[in-house]
Amino acid sequence: GSTRSRLRDTVQGPARLSAQPKTTIAQEAQEGAANLSVRASVFFNEKQRLQRDLTALALAVYAETTGAPPRSLAVLDALAASGVRGLRYALEVPAVGTAVLNDT
């Protein structure tokens, strides 16, 4: 079938994440507003949490200082790995309406 038919949607608050169906879960994590179930084959670096905190904060400050209305911004994380950064943008920054995450 198509790629879309093989994906499973997960909804967390205002965020919807489409991903491959779950396989073996290697790690459960909570970071910011995101709850994660990370597969063994997915790269997730816990040591980068501070950087993800800072980028979510920087995006929130940008949205506030520019007066961006709720759900008006689109963000792209082209090297998303686990997707936690983009998921946090969608959950923690009210101005984010679309977060596109990709990784191969």
Side-chain angles (χ1 to χ4, degrees), residues 32 77 81:
D77 187 351

Side-chain angles (χ1 to χ4, degrees), residues 71-76 89-90 95-100:
R71 303 183 60 82
S72 64
L73 296 180
V75 295
L76 168 66
Y89 290 161
V96 173
T98 303
V100 178

